[in-house]
Amino acid sequence: MMQAVAGFRHGVHPREHKTATNGIAVERMPFVDTYTIPLSQHIGAPSLCLVQPGQLVVRGQMIAAPNGFISTAQHAPVTGEVTAVERRPHPTGDMVETVVIETDPYDDQHIRAVPPNTTDLVQAVQNAGIVGLGGAAFPSHVKLTLPEGKHAEFVIINGCECEPYLTCDHRLMLEQAEDVVDGLRLIMNQLGAEQGYIGIEENKGDAVDMMIDLTLYMEDIHIVPLKVKYPQGAEKMLIDAVLKREVPVGKLPIDIEVVSYNVGSTAAMAQLVKNGIPLVERIVTVTGPAVGKPRNLIVPVGTPIREVLDYCDTDYGSMQQLVLGGPMMGQAQKDLDAPVIKGTSGLLALDECTVARCAELPCIRCGRCLEACPMFLNPSRLAQMVRAGWVEELTGAHQTNCFECGACSYVCPSHIPLVQLMRLGKAMIREEQKKRPA
Amino acid sequence: MAATVTTAILIMTGIGLIFGVVLAVAWRFLRVEEDPRLDQLEEMLPGTNCGACGTPGCRAFAQALLNGEAVPASCTVSSPAEIKRIAERLGVDAGSVERRVARLHCGGGKGLAVDAAQYLGLSSCRAAALVNGGGRACNWGCLGLADCEEACTFDAISMNRLNLPEVDPDRCTACNDCVEICPKDLFTLEPVGQPLVVACNSPLTGPDARSGCAVACDACGRCVSDAPEGVLAMKDGLPVVLDPERTTADAIWRCPTGAIQWLSPQTRSQPEKEPAEVS
């Protein structure tokens, strides 16, 4: 029987470039000498440092405690000695307070963990430092707490991985399928949700099959194959595709009884409850034309980017640009001493041929950006407003709905940096709002 | 036919007359008395609506003048002669306001600040600052894409040969536009007569600071010890001018990088000591 594949309207179809890494089993990266763990790896308040220079720490030990509800803990990724707590480069380009740990070369780096008391899962998840591993790094425990008067009917697990090049979620679904399903069950129990969904793009057929096999006798968990289209993995697009529900402007998914999680975070929660392992490492796709041995690696959080690239035989001579995350939404990186953090899903080393250096041309009003925008905005018009500095008009045109997926820039035949203008516009709106109450 | 036309004309005339009467009555009984000097004063003001005086525009400033809440000299755009005319018209003292100008706190121009990466995107500092903080190795310095030059209403900012914005103190009205637009917050408004400028914004110290820029302040503290007691202090890896009245050129001579500058008295904009070129 043919089943109609769920999807959303608009969007783009970039080339996938996933074959270099999607068939190779995930490998553990050997421990390096130094780790730098920024105290701010998530959305919300930076964690409170608990260690001093000179202190010995054990792998998995909490080295920074959550500072408030929208904040999370950090853990030592290795057994070793804290050598400094100082400002170090962070992948955002900033310098932030960071714990520097020198690895103990004689330790077996065995993680000594005890499963937590699950009567308070929210607290356990917060203390395990689990955040959204899709890239935004929003603390996971916040979404496990229902706001007053809200009800969560559906839990959606995001296994779309619509960004080109990235395959870390795909490999995780194949190799830790049980963790994903167990994690989903855990979230559903915590929230009292009736139905669970795992949305997977169709190009990951093996993951879809595996998940269907695992959940064959679970009537409340559904595997939803989704159309291969970018940005299918964006929260709003995913909810639209799976449930045919739209998140109203300015509202959260919980307002339409939905909570969504990334597959990585879901598996991390299952690992926490089963084995007590906090979030000390994550799977990172290291790929791109300049990488000699592209693959998926389990990288301890805090590993310097340079070490990961070295391990994968990156040709620095031909590398023109390093992107953290996927090519569509990822951030270009200038400092290779910055560490891999919890939100780093991929290291993408691009060469001369893959970095676009096109001169900007005038807008020819072809309307392709309108057809690409999954939020049904008019990027071309908004870009003009940003250039003119019309902040009020931008707010009126719901420019803040843009989540910077980059589909408009991708299709623009005039190479107008539309998504960059959108980002600038959102920054302008934020600044204006900051000024207003004064 | 003629009757239709006549009726139409009569009706329209009637409606016009009724509304005319309503308007006349409204003008007679509902009008707001406005000081006739308000319009005259607004005429005399430059009409740039720059906001340097602290009010949201020239008309608001004229109102503030009438209310006695501001002195004519607060308008930094008008020439002294115009301010005198305004003061005479109002019959008040012109007052005096310390003239301030925008000063850039970065010396890391082309060839001096190290580029960690080449930035290829939109040519705007604010856009560049959103991409990993911009291409410079120093995260706090000038990106050189001239957002301030564009924002300046008075053409007081021009990019110099080091690709750093240079403020013309004669044209600068301290309107705050460049202070607001700079994503790295490099401008402050300083008294024009105070020539000591800290040309660095990096909180880093020692070799960390020097590795990113040839003119970085590495917080050695020589300027603080050379300046008269209590004039300068070290705060977050940078010297801060505590007492603008007593600054002297002594502070700059032993600075190893040129991160603290004494502006020459003629222009009050060019640094007296050229920063060393990077080798």
Side-chain angles (χ1 to χ4, degrees):
Chain A
M1 188 187 77
M2 279 295 286
Q3 196 188 352
V5 182
F8 65 101
R9 286 174 62 205
H10 287 191
V12 293
H13 297 275
R15 277 180 63 186
E16 290 173 22
H17 296 284
K18 289 184 191 254
T19 46
T21 50
N22 66 2
I24 313 170
V26 178
E27 192 186 318
R28 183 172 286 278
M29 186 180 162
F31 288 96
V32 297
D33 297 340
T34 316
Y35 288 86
T36 56
I37 303 100
L39 294 179
S40 178
Q41 301 187 35
H42 49 267
I43 294 178
S47 317
L48 277 177
C49 185
L50 300 174
V51 291
Q52 285 119 28
Q55 192 173 335
L56 298 175
V57 289
V58 181
R59 183 157 178 247
Q61 180 186 335
M62 194 195 282
I63 53 170
N67 185 13
F69 184 60
I70 306 197
S71 177
T72 185
Q74 315 292 345
H75 299 79
V78 283
T79 299
E81 187 189 339
V82 177
T83 51
V85 180
E86 58 185 21
R87 287 172 96 139
R88 288 285 181 110
H90 187 272
T92 52
D94 226 344
M95 301 275 272
V96 304
E97 283 295 310
T98 299
V99 179
V100 184
I101 300 178
E102 204 80 51
T103 311
D104 178 357
Y106 304 109
D107 194 87
D108 61 354
Q109 299 297 352
H110 179 70
I111 193 155
R112 297 157 191 88
V114 193
N117 180 0
T118 45
T119 50
D120 191 357
L121 187 67
V122 177
Q123 186 72 46
V125 169
Q126 184 176 23
N127 285 339
I130 296 174
V131 299
L133 296 178
F138 186 75
S140 291
H141 67 274
V142 179
K143 288 197 281 184
L144 283 178
T145 328
L146 285 175
E148 198 72 42
K150 292 283 183 344
H151 168 68
E153 175 86 24
F154 310 101
V155 175
I156 304 181
I157 304 301
N158 188 346
C160 296
E161 198 158 58
C162 55
E163 278 268 9
Y165 286 102
L166 301 186
T167 56
C168 54
D169 286 355
H170 183 187
R171 291 310 307 178
L172 182 125
M173 282 189 285
L174 289 176
E175 294 174 29
Q176 282 178 265
E178 276 176 25
D179 282 345
V180 175
V181 176
D182 293 345
L184 171 57
R185 182 66 69 195
L186 208 65
I187 299 165
M188 285 167 68
N189 285 345
Q190 173 68 25
L191 293 171
E194 315 272 314
Q195 305 289 325
Y197 297 85
I198 304 178
I200 307 170
E201 269 193 359
E202 262 193 317
N203 57 358
K204 294 174 261 295
D206 44 356
V208 176
D209 290 346
M210 182 167 252
M211 288 292 175
I212 288 178
D213 283 352
L214 262 181
T215 57
L216 212 49
Y217 301 106
M218 301 181 188
E219 283 184 353
D220 51 350
I221 291 184
H222 317 274
I223 310 302
V224 191
L226 299 165
K227 236 185 242 173
V228 182
K229 189 158 54 161
Y230 181 86
Q232 182 66 74
E235 194 172 47
K236 286 172 184 164
M237 309 303 115
L238 179 68
I239 296 171
D240 183 16
V242 173
L243 296 173
K244 298 276 161 260
R245 287 189 177 199
E246 198 177 314
V247 183
V249 174
K251 295 278 172 109
L252 295 169
I254 189 69
D255 294 311
I256 52 165
E257 304 185 328
V258 182
V259 173
S260 79
Y261 275 97
N262 169 268
V263 277
S265 322
T266 314
M269 273 185 259
Q271 276 296 318
L272 167 71
V273 173
K274 285 190 217 166
N275 304 323
I277 297 176
L279 191 67
V280 288
E281 55 198 15
R282 65 155 298 146
I283 304 178
V284 178
T285 307
V286 189
T287 185
V291 176
K293 287 185 191 150
R295 57 191 139 179
N296 281 296
L297 284 177
I298 296 179
V299 181
V301 168
T303 313
I305 290 169
R306 195 186 301 277
E307 299 273 5
V308 184
L309 292 178
D310 281 345
Y311 183 67
C312 292
D313 288 345
T314 305
D315 177 6
Y316 292 104
S318 69
M319 182 171 87
Q320 289 284 314
Q321 189 179 42
L322 178 74
V323 179
L324 291 198
M328 299 295 279
M329 285 189 75
Q331 269 251 9
Q333 185 62 35
K334 67 180 176 194
D335 195 343
L336 297 185
D337 293 324
V340 167
I341 57 168
K342 292 174 181 175
T344 313
S345 46
L347 299 183
L348 178 56
L350 300 172
D351 65 1
E352 189 79 45
C353 313
T354 38
V355 177
R357 289 168 189 270
C358 305
E360 191 187 331
L361 297 165
C363 174
I364 55 167
R365 292 168 208 270
C366 61
R368 283 189 214 170
C369 51
L370 278 93
E371 279 163 28
C373 180
M375 294 308 287
F376 293 78
L377 299 169
N378 180 347
S380 155
R381 180 82 188 121
L382 291 172
Q384 288 171 338
M385 292 178 181
V386 174
R387 286 196 216 257
W390 295 354
V391 180
E392 257 169 56
E393 283 81 354
L394 280 176
T395 321
H398 297 292
Q399 203 253 346
T400 41
N401 274 7
C402 168
F403 58 89
E404 303 164 23
C405 68
C408 49
S409 291
Y410 178 77
V411 294
C412 182
S414 288
H415 314 297
I416 300 171
L418 287 165
V419 73
Q420 218 192 345
L421 285 159
M422 294 298 122
R423 201 175 287 171
L424 178 57
K426 282 166 82 178
M428 278 157 56
I429 292 175
R430 270 199 304 275
E431 238 165 68
E432 196 67 24
Q433 279 167 347
K434 233 186 276 169
K435 251 189 270 172
R436 202 158 295 165
Chain B
M1 181 64 195
T4 322
V5 173
T6 324
T7 324
I9 291 171
L10 281 176
I11 288 174
M12 292 313 288
T13 318
I15 291 172
L17 276 174
I18 292 166
F19 280 125
V21 169
V22 169
L23 281 176
V25 171
W27 183 78
R28 193 92 181 83
F29 295 103
L30 297 176
R31 77 170 148 166
V32 179
E33 284 294 341
E34 210 174 43
D35 197 322
R37 290 178 299 169
L38 190 63
D39 283 325
Q40 293 169 6
L41 275 176
E42 201 188 350
E43 283 286 290
M44 293 163 92
L45 288 168
T48 49
N49 293 326
C50 67
C53 53
T55 65
C58 289
R59 194 172 177 85
F61 180 61
Q63 187 64 58
L65 283 176
L66 285 175
N67 297 350
E69 289 159 1
V71 289
S74 302
C75 179
T76 52
V77 184
S78 304
S79 68
E82 282 164 336
I83 286 173
K84 211 172 142 223
R85 268 180 54 216
I86 294 170
E88 275 165 10
R89 180 74 190 76
L90 281 169
V92 297
D93 185 35
S96 69
V97 166
E98 188 177 39
R99 216 168 97 66
R100 296 186 303 163
V101 287
R103 294 264 193 244
L104 181 75
H105 295 287
C106 177
K110 213 192 294 174
L112 297 168
V114 178
D115 276 323
Q118 188 193 2
Y119 170 73
L120 290 173
L122 193 67
S123 179
S124 150
C125 308
R126 285 169 300 157
L130 292 172
V131 186
N132 221 246
R136 293 260 200 259
C138 168
N139 220 11
W140 298 270
C142 177
L143 297 169
L145 294 167
D147 276 13
C148 48
E149 188 184 29
E150 203 177 305
C152 184
T153 331
F154 303 98
D155 283 337
I157 296 180
S158 54
M159 303 307 277
N160 67 11
R161 64 191 171 84
L162 290 170
N163 210 20
L164 287 174
E166 201 168 290
V167 181
D168 180 347
D170 296 331
R171 288 187 177 180
C172 179
T173 64
C175 70
N176 217 36
D177 280 357
C178 51
V179 179
E180 275 175 26
I181 204 108
C182 181
K184 302 286 183 185
D185 295 330
L186 290 173
F187 283 104
T188 57
L189 300 176
E190 305 285 344
V192 70
Q194 201 285 100
L196 190 68
V197 175
V198 180
C200 183
N201 189 36
S202 160
L204 298 181
T205 55
D208 283 351
R210 302 267 293 260
S211 67
C213 180
V215 284
C217 168
D218 57 3
C220 66
R222 289 183 189 130
C223 51
V224 175
S225 53
D226 289 354
E229 185 81 26
V231 167
L232 282 175
M234 226 43 182
K235 200 183 158 205
D236 290 334
L238 285 171
V240 189
V241 180
L242 296 178
D243 188 352
E245 306 277 298
R246 288 165 48 221
T247 51
T248 60
D250 294 336
I252 70 161
W253 302 124
R254 281 205 297 145
C255 179
T257 57
I260 189 160
Q261 297 172 349
W262 184 259
L263 305 179
S264 69
Q266 285 88 33
T267 61
R268 287 269 183 262
S269 66
Q270 292 283 350
E272 218 161 63
K273 195 166 83 175
E274 282 288 313
E277 290 284 333
V278 80
S279 53

